[in-house]
Amino acid sequence: MTRQLFSFRLAATILVWTMSALAASAVEMPTRKAGLWEMKMVRTGTPMPEMTMQHCTDETTDKAMSSSASPMSKDVCSKNDVRKTATGYVTDSVCSFGGTTMTSHSEVTGDFNSAYTVKVTSHSQGGPAGSPRDMTMTLEAKWLGPCKADQKPGDIVMPGGMKMNVKDMEKFKATAPK
């Protein structure tokens, strides 16, 4: 369970940094179609296994996630460049968090109504391990349909059935190292 929680935190951190870069820019990202999204994360350069989770969302929750990530970006990222491309969006960012500095490049492609892909390459230095680490992560998201009856917007169901709501993540911001 601890390894799964660590894996989730790592993946969530990368996604929040990517979302922060997008939210803090003048380029406006489209809102995902409301409903249940399957998000599959595949990482290389780390011993963490592939992870598939489901995220129930609606327009209000998607916008709130972007706006809550934006202030965090201004606090921890010295660089947030976002460009719209012919096939999607590209971000380049440099962010520091908990003694670790991460330089990342993200490419977002696809359709926010049925499926999209986020490819992130990053280099981090510092933090607990101290040595430089390179990582590549691909997030493949696809719309599955309406949220399940027992889900509310913001719910994320992790492997093994662990469930949390992204709105609750706001509570953890205060405890995050700077």
Side-chain angles (χ1 to χ4, degrees), residues 56-152:
C56 173
T57 191
D58 63 4
E59 182 177 356
T60 303
T61 304
D62 249 21
K63 287 184 179 184
M65 285 175 60
S66 292
S67 62
S68 69
S70 182
M72 180 182 171
S73 171
K74 292 173 186 167
D75 292 342
V76 300
C77 300
S78 61
K79 176 182 179 181
N80 276 327
D81 295 335
V82 182
R83 305 183 300 288
K84 174 123 178 66
T85 66
T87 58
Y89 301 85
V90 171
T91 71
D92 290 291
S93 61
V94 178
C95 303
S96 296
F97 187 81
T100 300
T101 298
M102 180 180 285
T103 303
S104 64
H105 174 82
S106 306
E107 296 178 14
V108 182
T109 57
D111 171 344
F112 290 85
N113 288 311
S114 60
Y116 64 92
T117 301
V118 181
K119 292 183 181 179
V120 181
T121 55
S122 65
H123 175 80
S124 60
Q125 190 142 358
S131 60
R133 293 170 302 285
D134 293 314
M135 185 176 74
T136 302
M137 182 193 79
T138 301
L139 171 79
E140 297 170 351
K142 68 179 177 181
W143 190 77
L144 300 177
C147 295
K148 295 177 182 173
D150 65 338
Q151 293 176 325
K152 62 183 185 281

Side-chain angles (χ1 to χ4, degrees), residues 5 8-9 72 97 162 164-178:
L5 189 56
F8 171 72
R9 285 183 181 165
M72 180 182 171
F97 187 81
M162 185 174 101
M164 66 177 296
N165 193 287
V166 294
K167 295 172 186 174
D168 296 333
M169 293 177 83
E170 287 293 311
K171 299 172 189 171
F172 296 114
K173 276 188 185 179
T175 63
K178 297 206 181 217

